[in-house]
Amino acid sequence: MTRGNSAGFGVHGDVVDADPGRLHDQCQLNVTALVDLTRAYLPGMTGRGRGVIINLASLSAFLPLPHMAAYAATKAFVLSFTDALWVETRHSGVRVLALCPGPTDTAFHAATGSDDGSFGRHRSPEQVVDTAFRAMERDVSRVVDGRLNTVSSLLARLLPHRVTLALGERSMRPTGSARAAEPPRRPLSQ
């Protein structure tokens, strides 16, 4: 039995301007529903000694994203949760994977309200699925889809935090945004 937790959506724009209900729904679906579904199916899988859980995280799980702050935070949760679950299930026969695609050629970006190309080059859904299947053969806790996305995820961890914030802001800035594009001027706590 394979279960993929891939339902989710993103709210594009600044938190101050966002509909509170949409933000709440996004967190409920991207975090709470994923945990609830995992908990619902995991006992049966561990009882049988086999199964696969693939949780759809995102490249955005690796860094804060201004203009998609809550979305990136939910995906960071998915990545952390899945890494821990991978360890918890190591000897149960159940395989667990966090799949971290970058921009993918789906309706996701149009649904966020910003299908304007600001997300960069898109990969195909077939490429993302192939990446997941190859990762399942290697029994790893996480995989980033695509070379450029893999490099981006590594840079997000290696570059100074202020630089990653500035890059994230630039990549997610809504077209025609009047908001300041500067990174914070005071030191950020870790």
Side-chain angles (χ1 to χ4, degrees), residues 12-13 65-68 118-119 167-175:
H12 190 229
L65 286 180
H67 314 300
M68 284 192 83
S118 66
F119 292 98
L167 291 172
E169 193 282 330
R170 183 176 301 150
S171 70
M172 291 296 119
R173 183 183 311 142
T175 303

Side-chain angles (χ1 to χ4, degrees), residues 89-90 108:
T89 60
R90 284 292 289 155
F108 173 83

